Amino acid sequence: MMTVSVFNPEHDIALAEDSAGYVPPKAAQKLRKDLQWIASLWKEEGKVTVWGWDKAIVKELKQQGVPTEQLPTDEQLDAIRTLSNRSLAVEMLADLRDIDGTTGHSEVCYTLDDVIAFKERFGDTIVKAPWSSSGRGVKPFTDNSLRFIGNTIAKQGTVIAEKKCDRVRDFAIEYSIGRHGEINCEGLSLFDTSLGAYKGNMLLEEDEKLNILAEYVDKELIKQVSGRIKQFLSPRLKGSYEGPFGVDMMICRSADGYLLNPCVEINLRRTMGHVALALTSQGHRGTMSVLYNKEKDKYELKY
């Protein structure tokens, strides 16, 4: 059995393209090359582990001589792509909204009229492509986004409409799922974004992170939501996906105080939160961020 570990940050875009022949943009190729060392954080003897599974990475690994039996089948790849569609997050958010202290509204839209009707009901709206990378494929609904909506529906079939929240803090819960559908919580991820793009993570003990979130919402609410996420996703992922994943959440300000949006995104892959957890387990504390060093012409992970 071969031991291979790969950091393929272009994964989300590759899912959108859905082609074994997909060639990432140069910036994504450079990010992958400069930060490939972080794949050592999840290396397992006798296993093939990647950031995320898609047709392009499977083709690449086959060309490198990785045995077919160590790679997902075409059927599994199709299932992973289907499950990675943001419509699953819409479904899970609806399931979680009966929990007191939660907020958030989202909907799968098939036409521009659907998006307009959503905005009339919920006010300021964010529109998302079903498949896209972080920070891309996500836009506020304005006259300037009409072309994006039309092109996305034409290419991917739908768009996701989401009520814009008064965001106070981003965070995620990171998980892993086993072959038989058993889901383990790996830890919390407290991260920062700018215009939807990832900026950095806090490297702290779990109780420290939980205490920060408890300044806004009850700890028991977070635990209750996490338990329900396991119940919701286990039967849906079982047999189709095995490995790490994360659920992005958001604390929002409302007239009733702080509320929890329990499902902003489901990332069916490794995340920077998993990287932060790995570094924390090695004893690192403080902050972690991905920066571009102009003098060295190189992306660097600072921690």
Side-chain angles (χ1 to χ4, degrees), residues 108-262:
V108 178
C109 297
Y110 298 87
T111 66
L112 176 59
D113 286 343
D114 290 343
V115 182
I116 294 172
F118 183 92
K119 186 178 188 300
E120 288 175 348
R121 279 181 293 160
F122 296 109
D124 288 348
T125 296
I126 303 296
V127 286
K128 301 179 176 181
W131 294 280
S132 72
S133 62
S134 300
R136 299 191 178 190
V138 178
K139 298 181 182 294
F141 179 40
T142 65
D143 290 343
N144 293 331
S145 62
L146 298 181
R147 183 175 179 182
F148 163 76
I149 293 170
N151 289 342
T152 302
I153 291 175
K155 187 173 183 180
Q156 298 190 19
T158 63
V159 292
I160 308 301
E162 180 182 292
K163 175 180 169 59
K164 185 179 180 180
C165 294
D166 185 3
R167 181 180 61 182
V168 176
R169 178 174 284 278
D170 290 307
F171 75 101
I173 305 179
E174 311 297 354
Y175 300 91
S176 62
I177 182 168
R179 182 174 301 176
H180 303 294
E182 66 279 14
I183 295 179
N184 294 315
C185 178
E186 303 293 334
L188 289 165
S189 168
L190 271 59
F191 61 92
D192 293 320
T193 61
S194 176
L195 301 176
Y198 173 81
K199 288 183 64 178
N201 263 82
M202 300 178 73
L203 304 182
L204 298 171
E205 296 288 351
E206 288 304 303
D207 59 346
E208 294 177 290
K209 290 181 283 188
L210 193 57
N211 286 337
I212 290 173
L213 297 177
E215 295 175 11
Y216 306 97
V217 297
D218 194 277
K219 294 179 182 180
E220 290 304 315
L221 173 59
I222 297 172
K223 293 178 182 178
Q224 184 183 4
V225 163
S226 184
R228 284 279 294 276
I229 286 173
K230 293 180 183 180
Q231 293 175 9
F232 179 89
L233 288 178
S234 177
R236 289 166 174 81
L237 301 185
K238 180 181 178 180
S240 296
Y241 180 76
E242 178 183 354
F245 70 94
V247 178
D248 288 353
M249 305 181 186
M250 188 185 296
I251 294 174
C252 305
R253 186 183 290 106
S254 76
D256 300 321
Y258 296 113
L259 297 173
L260 172 63
N261 183 326

Side-chain angles (χ1 to χ4, degrees), residues 58-74:
V58 167
K59 179 183 177 181
E60 178 183 324
L61 292 172
K62 283 182 178 178
Q63 291 175 337
Q64 293 177 6
V66 175
T68 301
E69 59 267 22
Q70 285 189 263
L71 300 171
T73 64
D74 290 342

